Amino acid sequence: MDLLFLGTSSGTPTRARNVTGLALLEDTGRGWHLVDCGEATQHQVLRTPLSLHELRAVFVTHVHGDHCYGLPGLLASAGMHGRKAPLHIVAPAGIEEWVRTTLRLTRVWLPFELHFHAAESLGEWRGGSLRVEAVALSHRVPCYGYRFSEARPDPRLNIDKLDRHGIPRGPLWGQLIRGTDVQYEGRLLRSDDYLIFDRPPRRVVVGGDNDRPELLTEACQGAQVLVHEATYTRAVANDARADFGHSTAAAVAAFAEQAGLAHLVLTHFSARYQADPKRSPSIEDIRAEAAALYRGRLFLAEDFARFHLGRDGELHRVEPDRRGDGHAP
Amino acid sequence: MDLLFLGTSSGTPTRARNVTGLALLEDTGRGWHLVDCGEATQHQVLRTPLSLHELRAVFVTHVHGDHCYGLPGLLASAGMHGRKAPLHIVAPAGIEEWVRTTLRLTRVWLPFELHFHAAESLGEWRGGSLRVEAVALSHRVPCYGYRFSEARPDPRLNIDKLDRHGIPRGPLWGQLIRGTDVQYEGRLLRSDDYLIFDRPPRRVVVGGDNDRPELLTEACQGAQVLVHEATYTRAVANDARADFGHSTAAAVAAFAEQAGLAHLVLTHFSARYQADPKRSPSIEDIRAEAAALYRGRLFLAEDFARFHLGRDGELHRVEPDRRGDGHAP
């Protein structure tokens, strides 16, 4: 599983960072999922190896424009490029109405189906090799985080059980190992009931905008990685001009430390934080504030930064496979 | 008057060209007008000297997403950066409903007013030093071109007339020369009635998507510059896969030749045209097709290309004053 950041700025784009978008790639290297789709996410995709044909689903955290204004253009471009496969969109109330209204008023006909799923009542959604659950967060508008779990980590057949249940070797076993539920002599055999998983699933929690990281406590159980906004440092958040509804680097770091998370990736930085550590406030202030409270492995996201989560549960940064010059829009 | 191209691709963005956006700058170097606002236009603006605070008006040619999907994000960013001045939006039916619905569903509150004007019944709209008229074009949806005319080219007072009409020298004359209509002894004195213009106004016609360039015949009278889409060459347009509702380079060039236009700027190129002249089809095919039929000065727009239209009516390309690296998103 890989994480590829497409946008890491809060509110407005900068010359170095686009507004929010995060690609989650499956191990096959083909199917991918998108969490949030700020304006110009499709432009960012052009600078990666990702294809709009292989996008399985979009998960929108909330209705603010810096998290969704790129959606109609991405859909329209996928259509113009001939996508036929249905696309799933998991989102809170308001997004489906907005997308459908936009497509109608701007006269877009898509050659593929959109399947909307309400974040409010998602339960468990399965796509590709992943199971996904939504977690309600605390922001100025209803906002959701998403937990992505590997559905079938290194499966092998439970041969003892298959034999005990009298299920004959052959094509049936092949279907079960590939994750397909099958009918046999009037019974439904569930694949998961006949598989043994030799390791814990990889699990990544991606927060939306959120001023109460502790709401992710349960979701973070068994997770190796938390991706969370850290819009401000404490000094700036205490400033009256700071927006409300967001987390400080300190608050997220303290939560991640308490939750025992092995890896924390911070993102969604206010545009006021400069890349140059000699300028103030700088992005390094965010790193320092978090590092003082968190002893796991800390990463600060950048546009086009790519991370690989291995089967061993270790996250490490990998060299991006950029197309073009790799600059943010 | 300057033209600064922010997007020159048709339909979808490419790594080198964004979707449509064109800035028209006033001579003061401050106020500017925007024609069309495809997705990521605000990102392109970040790479120019333009400020969202000094944008006077947006003119939308039609409802297709590659011409308007950047509008909500641009408005939201202008608001987050503290713009207070009202913004005028001239657009055909559908755009106001879409923008207002978008702002409502995505919970945007703008700290400035939006004044919408229907392209269908625009008459003459004045903003800054310009007069603007809309021209109905032919496309798959209602579409408008816009004619920008300098309102007061090098004005001087008609002193004979002022004296004949008994209007006393002093502050009144000052107001009239600056373009303000004034009340005097119960009469309304119109500035334009007391001014002499020593040269023809500069005039630029910007087409929208359009498959009948001849609809711009009247608008092009007295214009020094026509900016028009040339989405395809004839060879590609004859191909069954080509979209309808657009012009070929040949059709636009033939029209510009017949209309006696001094300068023609082509834009809105299909993404299939490669920058590399050794590849086929290449953008040079478009240039060659147009050049064979048009004897005026021909330009092919690129993102961030900037052109100056001088008081002498001559258009020439000027070095861009880019911020950042100048790459398209």
Side-chain angles (χ1 to χ4, degrees):
Chain A
M1 277 165 82
D2 280 23
L3 299 172
L4 174 48
F5 284 86
L6 300 172
T8 59
S9 177
S10 146
T12 59
T14 71
R15 287 199 296 276
R17 297 179 185 269
N18 195 29
V19 286
T20 301
L22 169 60
L24 202 141
L25 288 72
E26 300 192 19
D27 270 347
T28 59
R30 291 173 60 91
W32 59 288
H33 300 74
L34 177 62
V35 186
D36 281 332
C37 187
E39 181 179 356
T41 293
Q42 65 162 323
H43 299 66
Q44 300 288 78
V45 167
L46 288 175
R47 301 191 175 284
T48 72
L50 301 170
S51 158
L52 295 184
H53 281 67
E54 289 159 3
L55 175 60
R56 295 185 192 277
V58 182
F59 299 84
V60 180
T61 61
H62 64 298
V63 298
H64 283 156
D66 56 320
H67 294 256
C68 68
Y69 280 174
L71 202 42
L74 181 139
L75 299 177
S77 289
M80 280 186 265
H81 291 134
R83 181 188 173 112
K84 302 283 181 212
L87 182 68
H88 296 270
I89 300 179
V90 178
I95 293 294
E96 177 173 5
E97 180 183 353
W98 177 65
V99 169
R100 295 211 186 272
T101 302
T102 297
L103 298 179
R104 176 175 58 80
L105 288 172
T106 64
R107 313 279 189 93
V108 176
W109 176 83
L110 294 178
F112 56 91
E113 288 176 16
L114 295 181
H115 296 295
F116 282 90
H117 308 270
E120 293 83 352
S121 56
L122 186 63
E124 182 184 283
W125 183 86
R126 282 205 182 207
S129 62
L130 299 176
R131 298 188 289 118
V132 189
E133 296 141 291
V135 186
L137 302 175
S138 167
H139 189 50
R140 305 198 302 279
V141 298
C143 185
Y144 291 83
Y146 294 98
R147 176 164 85 163
F148 297 84
S149 304
E150 211 178 358
R152 305 166 58 252
D154 292 350
R156 59 185 173 88
L157 286 169
N158 186 338
I159 293 173
D160 286 351
K161 191 171 176 182
L162 287 161
D163 286 340
R164 271 203 319 277
H165 291 199
I167 300 160
R169 282 168 199 262
L172 275 185
W173 287 28
Q175 289 177 282
L176 291 170
I177 184 77
R178 287 194 297 276
T180 309
D181 300 337
V182 292
Q183 288 287 344
Y184 176 66
E185 294 188 344
R187 286 183 293 165
L188 178 68
L189 309 181
R190 293 190 191 281
S191 164
D192 282 4
D193 293 343
Y194 294 94
L195 297 179
I196 295 167
F197 302 110
D198 279 339
R199 59 173 174 83
R202 282 173 282 182
R203 183 165 280 172
V204 175
V205 176
V206 182
D209 289 7
N210 179 32
D211 59 14
R212 292 181 58 202
E214 68 274 18
L215 293 172
L216 290 164
T217 302
E218 195 182 321
C220 284
Q221 284 173 13
Q224 295 88 20
V225 183
L226 171 63
V227 178
H228 201 283
E229 63 122 321
T231 309
Y232 306 114
T233 47
R234 277 180 296 200
V236 169
N238 290 336
D239 182 323
R241 292 168 306 174
D243 222 353
F244 58 99
H246 292 293
S247 287
T248 60
V252 180
F255 166 73
E257 178 66 20
Q258 203 202 338
L261 280 154
H263 311 91
L264 174 62
V265 188
L266 300 178
T267 185
H268 194 271
F269 307 118
S270 164
R272 75 192 72 195
Y273 292 97
Q274 314 277 322
D276 181 350
K278 292 196 273 315
R279 298 179 70 175
S280 177
S282 116
I283 206 84
E284 292 306 316
D285 299 344
I286 290 179
R287 189 189 306 276
E289 182 170 302
L293 294 165
Y294 175 66
R295 288 174 296 177
R297 290 196 66 196
L298 173 68
F299 300 90
L300 268 64
E302 298 166 12
D303 285 23
F304 303 108
R306 182 167 178 163
F307 300 89
H308 177 67
L309 178 59
R311 286 187 163 75
D312 59 2
E314 288 298 310
L315 186 77
H316 58 91
R317 187 156 173 178
V318 293
E319 278 307 299
D321 175 13
R322 286 183 188 171
R323 305 257 170 110
D325 53 48
H327 281 284
Chain B
M1 278 164 84
D2 279 23
L3 298 173
L4 174 48
F5 284 85
L6 300 172
T8 58
S9 177
S10 148
T12 59
T14 71
R15 287 199 296 276
R17 296 179 185 270
N18 196 29
V19 286
T20 301
L22 170 59
L24 201 142
L25 288 73
E26 299 192 18
D27 270 346
T28 58
R30 291 173 59 91
W32 59 288
H33 301 74
L34 177 62
V35 186
D36 280 332
C37 186
E39 182 179 354
T41 294
Q42 66 162 325
H43 299 66
Q44 299 288 79
V45 166
L46 287 175
R47 302 192 175 283
T48 72
L50 300 170
S51 159
L52 296 184
H53 281 68
E54 289 161 3
L55 175 61
R56 295 184 192 278
V58 182
F59 299 84
V60 180
T61 60
H62 64 298
V63 297
H64 283 156
D66 57 319
H67 294 255
C68 68
Y69 280 173
L71 202 42
L74 181 139
L75 299 177
S77 289
M80 280 187 264
H81 290 133
R83 181 188 172 112
K84 302 284 181 211
L87 182 68
H88 296 270
I89 300 179
V90 177
I95 294 293
E96 177 172 5
E97 180 184 352
W98 177 64
V99 169
R100 295 209 186 272
T101 301
T102 298
L103 298 179
R104 175 175 58 80
L105 287 173
T106 64
R107 314 279 189 95
V108 176
W109 175 83
L110 295 177
F112 57 91
E113 288 177 14
L114 295 180
H115 295 297
F116 282 90
H117 308 270
E120 294 83 352
S121 56
L122 186 65
E124 181 182 284
W125 183 85
R126 283 204 181 210
S129 62
L130 299 176
R131 298 187 289 118
V132 189
E133 296 142 291
V135 187
L137 302 175
S138 167
H139 189 50
R140 304 197 302 278
V141 297
C143 185
Y144 291 82
Y146 294 98
R147 177 163 85 162
F148 296 86
S149 305
E150 211 178 359
R152 305 166 59 253
D154 292 349
R156 59 185 171 87
L157 286 169
N158 186 339
I159 292 173
D160 285 353
K161 191 171 179 182
L162 287 161
D163 285 341
R164 271 203 317 277
H165 291 199
I167 298 158
R169 282 167 200 264
L172 274 185
W173 286 28
Q175 289 177 282
L176 291 170
I177 185 76
R178 287 193 297 275
T180 309
D181 299 338
V182 291
Q183 287 288 342
Y184 175 65
E185 294 189 344
R187 284 184 294 165
L188 178 69
L189 308 181
R190 294 191 191 280
S191 163
D192 282 4
D193 293 343
Y194 294 95
L195 296 179
I196 295 167
F197 302 111
D198 279 338
R199 59 174 174 83
R202 281 173 281 182
R203 182 166 281 174
V204 175
V205 176
V206 182
D209 288 7
N210 179 33
D211 60 13
R212 293 181 58 202
E214 68 273 19
L215 293 172
L216 289 163
T217 301
E218 194 181 323
C220 283
Q221 284 172 15
Q224 296 87 21
V225 183
L226 170 63
V227 178
H228 200 283
E229 61 122 322
T231 308
Y232 306 114
T233 47
R234 277 180 297 198
V236 169
N238 290 337
D239 181 321
R241 292 168 306 174
D243 222 354
F244 59 99
H246 292 293
S247 286
T248 60
V252 180
F255 166 73
E257 178 66 20
Q258 203 202 336
L261 279 155
H263 311 91
L264 173 63
V265 188
L266 300 179
T267 184
H268 195 271
F269 307 118
S270 164
R272 75 192 72 195
Y273 292 97
Q274 314 278 320
D276 181 350
K278 292 195 273 315
R279 298 180 70 176
S280 177
S282 116
I283 205 84
E284 291 306 315
D285 300 342
I286 291 179
R287 189 189 306 277
E289 181 169 304
L293 294 164
Y294 175 65
R295 289 173 296 177
R297 290 197 64 196
L298 174 68
F299 301 90
L300 267 65
E302 298 165 11
D303 285 23
F304 303 109
R306 182 167 177 162
F307 299 90
H308 177 67
L309 178 59
R311 287 187 162 74
D312 59 3
E314 289 297 312
L315 186 77
H316 58 91
R317 187 156 174 180
V318 292
E319 279 307 298
D321 175 12
R322 286 184 188 169
R323 304 256 171 110
D325 53 46
H327 281 284

